[in-house]
Amino acid sequence: MAGILAWFWNERFWLPHNVTWADLKNTEEATFPQAEDLYLAFPVAFCIFMVRFIFERFVAKPCAIALNIQANGPQIAQPNAILEKVFTAITKHPDEKRLEGLSKQLDWDVRSIQRWFRQRCNQEKPSTLTRFCESMWRFSFHLYVFIYGVRFLKKSPWLWNTRHCWYNYPYQPLTTDLHYYYILELSYYWSLMFSQFTDIRKDFGIMILHHIVAIFLISFSYVNNMARVGTLILCLHDSSDALLEAAKMANYAKFQKSCDLLFVMFAMVFITARLGIFPFWVLNTTLFESWEIVGPYPSWWVFNLLLLLVQGLNCFWSYLIIKMACKAISKGKVSKDDRSDIESSSDEEDSEPPGKNPHTATTTNGTSGTNGYLLTGSCSVDD
Protein backbone atom coordinates (compact mmCIF):
# COMPACT_ATOMS: atom_id res chain seq x y z
CA MET A 1 0.00 0.00 0.00
CA ALA A 2 2.82 2.37 0.86
CA GLY A 3 4.36 1.67 -2.53
CA ILE A 4 1.10 2.52 -4.32
CA LEU A 5 0.76 5.79 -2.41
CA ALA A 6 4.35 6.69 -3.13
CA TRP A 7 3.77 6.04 -6.82
CA PHE A 8 0.52 8.03 -6.87
CA TRP A 9 2.02 11.06 -5.08
CA ASN A 10 5.19 11.06 -7.15
CA GLU A 11 6.58 14.59 -6.96
CA ARG A 12 7.86 14.46 -10.50
CA PHE A 13 4.29 14.08 -11.74
CA TRP A 14 2.51 16.58 -9.50
CA LEU A 15 5.05 19.37 -9.03
CA PRO A 16 7.40 21.46 -11.14
CA HIS A 17 11.05 20.52 -11.38
CA ASN A 18 13.06 20.92 -8.13
CA VAL A 19 9.90 21.26 -5.98
CA THR A 20 9.02 18.67 -3.31
CA TRP A 21 6.01 18.06 -1.07
CA ALA A 22 8.18 19.05 1.88
CA ASP A 23 8.47 22.53 0.37
CA LEU A 24 4.67 22.89 0.54
CA LYS A 25 4.15 21.82 4.14
CA ASN A 26 2.25 24.27 6.33
CA THR A 27 4.33 26.56 8.50
CA GLU A 28 3.61 29.33 10.97
CA GLU A 29 4.25 31.89 8.23
CA ALA A 30 2.21 30.34 5.42
CA THR A 31 -0.49 27.74 4.76
CA PHE A 32 -0.57 25.73 1.53
CA PRO A 33 -3.24 23.41 0.09
CA GLN A 34 -2.99 19.89 1.48
CA ALA A 35 -4.59 16.81 -0.10
CA GLU A 36 -6.26 15.82 3.17
CA ASP A 37 -8.21 19.12 3.11
CA LEU A 38 -10.40 17.59 0.39
CA TYR A 39 -11.93 15.10 2.85
CA LEU A 40 -13.82 18.05 4.31
CA ALA A 41 -15.91 18.14 1.11
CA PHE A 42 -17.83 14.96 2.04
CA PRO A 43 -19.47 16.14 5.28
CA VAL A 44 -20.06 19.56 3.69
CA ALA A 45 -21.68 17.86 0.66
CA PHE A 46 -24.00 15.98 3.01
CA CYS A 47 -24.87 19.26 4.75
CA ILE A 48 -25.59 20.89 1.38
CA PHE A 49 -27.81 17.94 0.47
CA MET A 50 -29.78 18.36 3.71
CA VAL A 51 -29.99 22.14 3.30
CA ARG A 52 -31.40 21.53 -0.17
CA PHE A 53 -34.05 19.19 1.24
CA ILE A 54 -35.11 21.76 3.86
CA PHE A 55 -34.98 24.65 1.38
CA GLU A 56 -37.13 22.89 -1.22
CA ARG A 57 -39.70 21.84 1.33
CA PHE A 58 -40.03 24.96 3.47
CA VAL A 59 -38.98 27.79 1.14
CA ALA A 60 -39.35 26.78 -2.50
CA LYS A 61 -42.60 24.84 -2.16
CA PRO A 62 -44.54 27.71 -0.49
CA CYS A 63 -43.22 30.05 -3.21
CA ALA A 64 -44.43 27.64 -5.89
CA ILE A 65 -47.86 27.36 -4.29
CA ALA A 66 -48.06 31.16 -4.07
CA LEU A 67 -47.44 31.23 -7.84
CA ASN A 68 -50.28 28.73 -8.39
CA ILE A 69 -47.92 25.94 -9.44
CA GLN A 70 -49.71 22.70 -8.73
CA ALA A 71 -48.26 19.38 -7.65
CA ASN A 72 -50.22 17.57 -10.35
CA GLY A 73 -48.06 15.28 -12.42
CA PRO A 74 -48.31 14.67 -16.16
CA GLN A 75 -51.44 13.21 -17.73
CA ILE A 76 -51.71 9.49 -16.94
CA ALA A 77 -51.75 7.09 -19.86
CA GLN A 78 -54.81 4.84 -19.87
CA PRO A 79 -54.05 1.26 -18.77
CA ASN A 80 -53.21 -1.09 -21.63
CA ALA A 81 -51.50 -4.40 -20.98
CA ILE A 82 -50.07 -4.82 -24.48
CA LEU A 83 -48.54 -1.34 -24.69
CA GLU A 84 -47.29 -1.58 -21.10
CA LYS A 85 -45.48 -4.81 -21.92
CA VAL A 86 -43.84 -3.20 -24.97
CA PHE A 87 -42.90 -0.16 -22.91
CA THR A 88 -41.33 -2.04 -19.99
CA ALA A 89 -39.82 -5.05 -21.77
CA ILE A 90 -38.99 -3.97 -25.32
CA THR A 91 -38.68 -0.25 -26.02
CA LYS A 92 -39.91 3.14 -24.86
CA HIS A 93 -39.41 4.53 -28.35
CA PRO A 94 -41.13 2.22 -30.86
CA ASP A 95 -40.11 2.66 -34.47
CA GLU A 96 -42.49 3.10 -37.38
CA LYS A 97 -42.75 -0.63 -38.13
CA ARG A 98 -43.61 -1.51 -34.52
CA LEU A 99 -46.12 1.35 -34.34
CA GLU A 100 -47.93 0.03 -37.40
CA GLY A 101 -47.98 -3.49 -35.94
CA LEU A 102 -49.43 -2.23 -32.65
CA SER A 103 -51.96 -0.16 -34.57
CA LYS A 104 -53.31 -3.27 -36.33
CA GLN A 105 -53.21 -5.34 -33.15
CA LEU A 106 -55.11 -2.81 -31.02
CA ASP A 107 -57.19 -1.18 -33.75
CA TRP A 108 -55.81 2.20 -32.65
CA ASP A 109 -54.49 4.84 -35.01
CA VAL A 110 -50.72 5.40 -34.95
CA ARG A 111 -50.92 8.89 -33.49
CA SER A 112 -52.88 7.61 -30.46
CA ILE A 113 -50.22 4.97 -29.82
CA GLN A 114 -47.50 7.61 -30.06
CA ARG A 115 -49.46 9.73 -27.61
CA TRP A 116 -49.79 6.79 -25.21
CA PHE A 117 -46.01 6.21 -25.22
CA ARG A 118 -45.40 9.93 -24.73
CA GLN A 119 -47.80 10.06 -21.79
CA ARG A 120 -46.32 6.88 -20.33
CA CYS A 121 -42.82 8.36 -20.51
CA ASN A 122 -44.04 11.59 -18.92
CA GLN A 123 -45.54 9.62 -16.00
CA GLU A 124 -41.99 8.92 -14.83
CA LYS A 125 -41.09 12.59 -14.77
CA PRO A 126 -41.48 14.73 -11.66
CA SER A 127 -44.30 17.24 -11.37
CA THR A 128 -43.92 20.90 -12.31
CA LEU A 129 -43.89 21.79 -8.60
CA THR A 130 -40.97 19.42 -7.98
CA ARG A 131 -39.08 20.88 -10.93
CA PHE A 132 -39.73 24.43 -9.72
CA CYS A 133 -38.41 23.61 -6.23
CA GLU A 134 -35.27 22.02 -7.69
CA SER A 135 -34.66 25.03 -9.95
CA MET A 136 -35.21 27.50 -7.11
CA TRP A 137 -32.61 25.68 -5.00
CA ARG A 138 -30.08 25.67 -7.83
CA PHE A 139 -30.81 29.32 -8.59
CA SER A 140 -30.25 30.32 -4.97
CA PHE A 141 -27.02 28.38 -4.62
CA HIS A 142 -25.54 29.49 -7.94
CA LEU A 143 -26.43 33.11 -7.27
CA TYR A 144 -24.83 32.99 -3.83
CA VAL A 145 -21.63 31.26 -4.93
CA PHE A 146 -21.26 33.53 -7.98
CA ILE A 147 -21.64 36.70 -5.88
CA TYR A 148 -19.16 35.31 -3.36
CA GLY A 149 -16.71 34.47 -6.15
CA VAL A 150 -16.96 37.94 -7.69
CA ARG A 151 -16.44 39.65 -4.31
CA PHE A 152 -13.45 37.42 -3.61
CA LEU A 153 -11.86 37.90 -7.04
CA LYS A 154 -12.30 41.69 -7.00
CA LYS A 155 -9.63 41.75 -4.28
CA SER A 156 -7.36 39.32 -6.11
CA PRO A 157 -4.56 40.58 -8.39
CA TRP A 158 -4.85 37.61 -10.75
CA LEU A 159 -8.31 38.76 -11.86
CA TRP A 160 -6.78 41.85 -13.45
CA ASN A 161 -3.54 40.23 -14.59
CA THR A 162 -3.66 36.47 -15.10
CA ARG A 163 0.14 36.22 -15.02
CA HIS A 164 -0.23 36.58 -11.23
CA CYS A 165 -1.64 33.03 -11.28
CA TRP A 166 1.91 31.79 -11.93
CA TYR A 167 4.22 34.25 -10.17
CA ASN A 168 6.05 32.44 -7.36
CA TYR A 169 4.21 29.22 -8.25
CA PRO A 170 3.76 26.83 -6.48
CA TYR A 171 4.77 28.75 -3.32
CA GLN A 172 1.49 30.68 -3.20
CA PRO A 173 -0.13 30.72 0.27
CA LEU A 174 -3.69 29.51 0.73
CA THR A 175 -6.03 32.20 2.06
CA THR A 176 -9.15 31.48 4.10
CA ASP A 177 -11.45 32.89 1.41
CA LEU A 178 -9.87 30.79 -1.31
CA HIS A 179 -10.07 27.65 0.83
CA TYR A 180 -13.76 28.26 1.63
CA TYR A 181 -14.57 28.95 -2.04
CA TYR A 182 -12.88 25.76 -3.23
CA ILE A 183 -14.37 23.47 -0.58
CA LEU A 184 -17.85 24.92 -1.13
CA GLU A 185 -17.69 24.37 -4.89
CA LEU A 186 -16.25 20.87 -4.53
CA SER A 187 -18.88 19.94 -1.93
CA TYR A 188 -21.66 21.19 -4.19
CA TYR A 189 -20.51 19.00 -7.07
CA TRP A 190 -20.26 15.99 -4.77
CA SER A 191 -23.83 16.69 -3.61
CA LEU A 192 -24.91 16.77 -7.27
CA MET A 193 -23.27 13.39 -7.80
CA PHE A 194 -25.48 12.02 -5.00
CA SER A 195 -28.68 13.72 -6.18
CA GLN A 196 -28.09 13.10 -9.89
CA PHE A 197 -29.64 9.65 -9.50
CA THR A 198 -32.89 11.13 -8.14
CA ASP A 199 -33.01 14.29 -10.27
CA ILE A 200 -34.55 13.28 -13.58
CA ARG A 201 -32.65 14.94 -16.39
CA LYS A 202 -32.69 14.45 -20.13
CA ASP A 203 -28.89 14.76 -20.39
CA PHE A 204 -28.03 12.38 -17.53
CA GLY A 205 -24.89 10.91 -19.12
CA ILE A 206 -23.44 14.27 -20.12
CA MET A 207 -24.13 15.74 -16.67
CA ILE A 208 -22.48 12.79 -14.91
CA LEU A 209 -19.42 13.32 -17.11
CA HIS A 210 -19.52 17.04 -16.32
CA HIS A 211 -19.69 16.45 -12.55
CA ILE A 212 -16.85 13.91 -12.64
CA VAL A 213 -14.63 16.26 -14.67
CA ALA A 214 -15.53 19.18 -12.37
CA ILE A 215 -14.72 17.22 -9.19
CA PHE A 216 -11.47 15.94 -10.67
CA LEU A 217 -10.43 19.39 -11.89
CA ILE A 218 -11.22 21.11 -8.59
CA SER A 219 -9.41 18.44 -6.58
CA PHE A 220 -6.51 18.28 -9.02
CA SER A 221 -5.94 22.04 -9.13
CA TYR A 222 -6.19 22.27 -5.34
CA VAL A 223 -3.62 19.55 -4.67
CA ASN A 224 -0.95 21.04 -6.94
CA ASN A 225 -1.86 24.60 -5.89
CA MET A 226 -3.28 25.86 -9.18
CA ALA A 227 -6.12 27.30 -7.11
CA ARG A 228 -5.69 30.86 -8.37
CA VAL A 229 -6.53 30.01 -11.95
CA GLY A 230 -9.09 27.54 -10.58
CA THR A 231 -11.06 30.38 -8.99
CA LEU A 232 -11.25 32.13 -12.38
CA ILE A 233 -12.59 28.96 -13.99
CA LEU A 234 -15.18 28.39 -11.25
CA CYS A 235 -16.50 31.94 -11.24
CA LEU A 236 -16.65 32.09 -15.03
CA HIS A 237 -18.65 28.86 -15.25
CA ASP A 238 -21.01 29.99 -12.46
CA SER A 239 -21.86 33.22 -14.28
CA SER A 240 -24.72 31.86 -16.41
CA ASP A 241 -26.15 29.08 -14.21
CA ALA A 242 -28.39 31.32 -12.08
CA LEU A 243 -29.94 32.82 -15.24
CA LEU A 244 -30.73 29.36 -16.57
CA GLU A 245 -32.50 28.33 -13.38
CA ALA A 246 -34.38 31.65 -13.28
CA ALA A 247 -35.60 31.03 -16.84
CA LYS A 248 -36.77 27.56 -15.85
CA MET A 249 -38.66 28.93 -12.84
CA ALA A 250 -40.36 31.54 -15.02
CA ASN A 251 -41.33 28.81 -17.47
CA TYR A 252 -42.83 26.61 -14.76
CA ALA A 253 -44.76 29.61 -13.39
CA LYS A 254 -46.00 30.34 -16.97
CA PHE A 255 -44.37 33.78 -17.10
CA GLN A 256 -43.54 33.32 -20.77
CA LYS A 257 -42.17 36.80 -21.51
CA SER A 258 -39.90 36.66 -18.47
CA CYS A 259 -38.79 33.16 -19.49
CA ASP A 260 -37.93 34.34 -23.01
CA LEU A 261 -35.98 37.34 -21.72
CA LEU A 262 -34.07 35.32 -19.13
CA PHE A 263 -33.26 32.64 -21.68
CA VAL A 264 -31.85 35.23 -24.08
CA MET A 265 -29.74 36.69 -21.26
CA PHE A 266 -28.57 33.20 -20.28
CA ALA A 267 -27.64 32.31 -23.86
CA MET A 268 -25.68 35.55 -24.31
CA VAL A 269 -23.78 35.15 -21.03
CA PHE A 270 -23.16 31.42 -21.55
CA ILE A 271 -21.81 31.73 -25.08
CA THR A 272 -19.76 34.85 -24.29
CA ALA A 273 -18.23 33.31 -21.17
CA ARG A 274 -17.57 29.81 -22.45
CA LEU A 275 -16.81 30.34 -26.11
CA GLY A 276 -15.16 33.73 -25.74
CA ILE A 277 -13.68 34.51 -22.34
CA PHE A 278 -12.80 30.96 -21.31
CA PRO A 279 -10.68 29.95 -24.34
CA PHE A 280 -9.10 33.37 -24.98
CA TRP A 281 -8.49 34.35 -21.35
CA VAL A 282 -8.31 31.24 -19.14
CA LEU A 283 -6.90 28.73 -21.62
CA ASN A 284 -4.47 31.39 -22.78
CA THR A 285 -3.00 31.70 -19.30
CA THR A 286 -3.02 27.95 -18.49
CA LEU A 287 -1.44 26.98 -21.82
CA PHE A 288 0.87 29.85 -22.75
CA GLU A 289 1.56 32.16 -19.79
CA SER A 290 2.16 29.21 -17.44
CA TRP A 291 4.47 27.61 -20.03
CA GLU A 292 6.47 30.82 -20.18
CA ILE A 293 6.67 31.45 -16.42
CA VAL A 294 6.68 27.93 -14.89
CA GLY A 295 7.20 25.52 -17.75
CA PRO A 296 5.37 22.25 -18.45
CA TYR A 297 5.49 19.15 -16.25
CA PRO A 298 3.29 15.99 -16.22
CA SER A 299 0.36 17.23 -14.11
CA TRP A 300 0.40 20.48 -16.11
CA TRP A 301 -0.40 18.46 -19.23
CA VAL A 302 -3.21 16.57 -17.47
CA PHE A 303 -4.72 19.79 -16.12
CA ASN A 304 -4.79 21.42 -19.55
CA LEU A 305 -6.17 18.31 -21.23
CA LEU A 306 -9.04 18.36 -18.72
CA LEU A 307 -9.67 22.03 -19.46
CA LEU A 308 -9.82 21.21 -23.15
CA LEU A 309 -12.38 18.50 -22.34
CA VAL A 310 -14.41 21.11 -20.45
CA GLN A 311 -14.20 23.36 -23.50
CA GLY A 312 -15.51 20.48 -25.61
CA LEU A 313 -18.53 20.20 -23.29
CA ASN A 314 -18.98 23.97 -23.53
CA CYS A 315 -19.08 23.73 -27.33
CA PHE A 316 -21.61 20.88 -27.16
CA TRP A 317 -23.93 22.80 -24.83
CA SER A 318 -23.53 25.99 -26.86
CA TYR A 319 -24.66 24.06 -29.93
CA LEU A 320 -27.78 22.90 -28.05
CA ILE A 321 -28.49 26.44 -26.83
CA ILE A 322 -28.15 27.88 -30.34
CA LYS A 323 -30.38 25.08 -31.63
CA MET A 324 -32.90 25.94 -28.92
CA ALA A 325 -32.72 29.65 -29.80
CA CYS A 326 -33.43 28.89 -33.46
CA LYS A 327 -36.39 26.72 -32.43
CA ALA A 328 -37.65 29.49 -30.15
CA ILE A 329 -37.43 32.06 -32.94
CA SER A 330 -39.44 29.83 -35.26
CA LYS A 331 -42.12 29.22 -32.59
CA GLY A 332 -42.07 32.67 -31.03
CA LYS A 333 -41.32 31.42 -27.50
CA VAL A 334 -39.00 29.27 -25.43
CA SER A 335 -40.64 25.93 -24.68
CA LYS A 336 -37.71 23.62 -23.88
CA ASP A 337 -33.99 23.90 -23.36
CA ASP A 338 -32.40 20.65 -24.60
CA ARG A 339 -29.34 21.20 -22.42
CA SER A 340 -31.06 21.52 -19.06
CA ASP A 341 -34.60 20.29 -19.60
CA ILE A 342 -36.51 23.56 -19.68
CA GLU A 343 -39.94 22.18 -20.39
CA SER A 344 -43.32 23.61 -21.17
CA SER A 345 -45.50 23.23 -18.10
CA SER A 346 -48.46 22.29 -20.26
CA ASP A 347 -49.17 19.09 -22.10
CA GLU A 348 -51.15 20.53 -24.96
CA GLU A 349 -50.09 17.84 -27.40
CA ASP A 350 -51.14 15.13 -24.98
CA SER A 351 -54.72 16.35 -24.79
CA GLU A 352 -57.40 15.51 -27.29
CA PRO A 353 -59.87 17.93 -28.83
CA PRO A 354 -63.21 17.67 -27.03
CA GLY A 355 -65.66 15.18 -28.39
CA LYS A 356 -63.07 13.17 -30.31
CA ASN A 357 -62.41 9.52 -29.56
CA PRO A 358 -58.69 8.91 -30.19
CA HIS A 359 -59.12 5.21 -30.83
CA THR A 360 -61.71 5.36 -33.59
CA ALA A 361 -59.86 7.47 -36.13
CA THR A 362 -59.30 5.71 -39.42
CA THR A 363 -55.83 4.54 -40.34
CA THR A 364 -54.88 4.63 -44.00
CA ASN A 365 -51.54 3.17 -45.11
CA GLY A 366 -50.07 3.67 -41.65
CA THR A 367 -51.11 7.33 -41.38
CA SER A 368 -53.70 9.00 -39.22
CA GLY A 369 -54.81 12.24 -40.71
CA THR A 370 -51.24 13.61 -40.91
CA ASN A 371 -51.02 14.00 -44.69
CA GLY A 372 -48.96 10.84 -44.96
CA TYR A 373 -46.30 11.80 -42.39
CA LEU A 374 -45.63 9.80 -39.23
CA LEU A 375 -44.34 11.34 -36.04
CA THR A 376 -41.72 9.25 -34.28
CA GLY A 377 -42.51 8.05 -30.78
CA SER A 378 -41.00 10.33 -28.14
CA CYS A 379 -40.99 10.78 -24.39
CA SER A 380 -41.53 14.52 -24.52
CA VAL A 381 -42.93 17.15 -26.76
CA ASP A 382 -40.55 19.14 -28.94
CA ASP A 383 -37.53 16.94 -28.38
Side-chain angles (χ1 to χ4, degrees):
M1 187 64 180
I4 295 175
L5 289 175
W7 171 81
F8 182 81
W9 293 112
N10 190 307
E11 295 165 342
R12 298 285 59 81
F13 171 80
W14 288 95
L15 301 174
H17 186 61
N18 291 331
V19 179
T20 67
W21 292 119
D23 298 330
L24 299 177
K25 288 292 184 182
N26 293 333
T27 65
E28 294 181 358
E29 293 78 22
T31 300
F32 299 102
Q34 305 295 315
E36 54 266 26
D37 297 345
L38 300 178
Y39 291 127
L40 182 61
F42 293 104
V44 176
F46 177 76
C47 291
I48 290 175
F49 190 83
M50 296 306 298
V51 168
R52 171 186 172 173
F53 176 80
I54 295 169
F55 180 91
E56 289 185 357
R57 184 164 185 172
F58 297 105
V59 178
K61 187 174 181 179
C63 291
I65 293 172
L67 292 170
N68 295 320
I69 297 175
Q70 303 299 320
N72 298 333
Q75 185 175 349
I76 303 299
Q78 73 176 78
N80 186 289
I82 295 175
L83 295 181
E84 185 68 27
K85 183 178 180 180
V86 173
F87 182 88
T88 55
I90 302 176
T91 178
K92 297 181 180 180
H93 309 280
D95 56 20
E96 181 178 337
K97 183 178 180 180
R98 190 177 298 277
L99 285 171
E100 291 178 352
L102 290 170
S103 175
K104 294 176 182 178
Q105 183 178 0
L106 297 172
D107 195 24
W108 287 17
D109 62 274
V110 170
R111 185 172 177 81
S112 297
I113 297 174
Q114 291 172 328
R115 183 177 297 107
W116 188 95
F117 276 93
R118 186 164 58 246
Q119 291 175 348
R120 183 63 181 83
C121 283
N122 288 337
Q123 282 179 216
E124 300 183 349
K125 295 181 179 180
S127 67
T128 303
L129 180 113
T130 301
R131 291 178 181 274
F132 179 91
C133 293
E134 178 186 332
S135 290
M136 189 171 180
W137 158 250
R138 291 174 183 260
F139 167 79
S140 302
F141 182 88
H142 287 304
L143 183 63
Y144 166 74
V145 78
F146 176 66
I147 292 174
Y148 180 87
V150 170
R151 291 185 61 185
F152 164 68
L153 286 172
K154 280 172 61 178
K155 302 177 291 184
S156 306
W158 57 90
L159 174 65
W160 314 107
N161 182 358
T162 53
R163 297 178 72 87
H164 280 279
C165 293
W166 313 107
Y167 290 155
N168 198 36
Y169 175 82
Y171 306 106
Q172 298 167 343
L174 178 69
T175 65
T176 302
D177 287 342
L178 194 154
H179 178 257
Y180 170 78
Y181 189 33
Y182 247 71
I183 294 299
L184 183 64
E185 290 273 13
L186 179 60
S187 302
Y188 177 69
Y189 281 108
W190 272 118
S191 74
L192 289 182
M193 285 291 291
F194 304 147
S195 65
Q196 188 71 21
F197 297 94
T198 57
D199 296 339
I200 298 178
R201 297 181 64 95
K202 185 177 179 180
D203 50 359
F204 176 84
I206 294 294
M207 291 309 298
I208 284 289
L209 175 62
H210 172 270
H211 298 337
I212 291 173
V213 172
I215 288 170
F216 193 80
L217 264 173
I218 294 171
S219 304
F220 195 88
S221 60
Y222 185 86
V223 168
N224 64 5
N225 205 11
M226 290 184 178
R228 289 188 176 184
V229 74
T231 58
L232 299 179
I233 298 169
L234 289 171
C235 191
L236 189 63
H237 281 73
D238 287 333
S239 61
S240 59
D241 290 337
L243 289 170
L244 172 63
E245 300 303 332
K248 292 166 70 174
M249 287 192 295
N251 187 57
Y252 300 143
K254 299 184 179 180
F255 298 150
Q256 192 61 51
K257 290 184 179 179
S258 298
C259 175
D260 294 344
L261 176 62
L262 287 165
F263 180 80
V264 170
M265 293 171 61
F266 158 74
M268 292 174 61
V269 172
F270 185 96
I271 293 173
T272 300
R274 304 200 185 194
L275 296 189
I277 299 174
F278 182 71
F280 294 106
W281 185 48
V282 174
L283 290 182
N284 176 67
T285 192
T286 61
L287 286 169
F288 303 111
E289 291 179 350
S290 65
W291 182 294
E292 177 187 342
I293 298 171
V294 180
Y297 52 99
S299 68
W300 179 94
W301 289 103
V302 174
F303 182 69
N304 280 287
L305 285 173
L306 287 171
L307 291 182
L308 291 173
L309 176 59
V310 169
Q311 183 58 17
L313 292 173
N314 289 339
C315 293
F316 171 74
W317 280 318
S318 296
Y319 159 74
L320 294 181
I321 291 168
I322 293 170
K323 177 183 173 184
M324 173 60 203
C326 294
K327 190 183 295 185
I329 291 171
S330 66
K331 293 187 176 182
K333 68 176 184 177
V334 174
S335 61
K336 178 183 279 245
D337 175 1
D338 288 313
R339 171 182 174 256
S340 293
D341 207 22
I342 287 185
E343 297 193 12
S344 173
S345 55
S346 61
D347 291 317
E348 286 118 358
E349 284 202 25
D350 291 338
S351 60
E352 284 295 325
K356 180 178 178 180
N357 185 344
H359 310 313
T360 57
T362 59
T363 302
T364 307
N365 296 329
T367 66
S368 55
T370 56
N371 295 326
Y373 294 98
L374 287 173
L375 302 176
T376 57
S378 171
C379 280
S380 56
V381 181
D382 293 333
D383 280 347

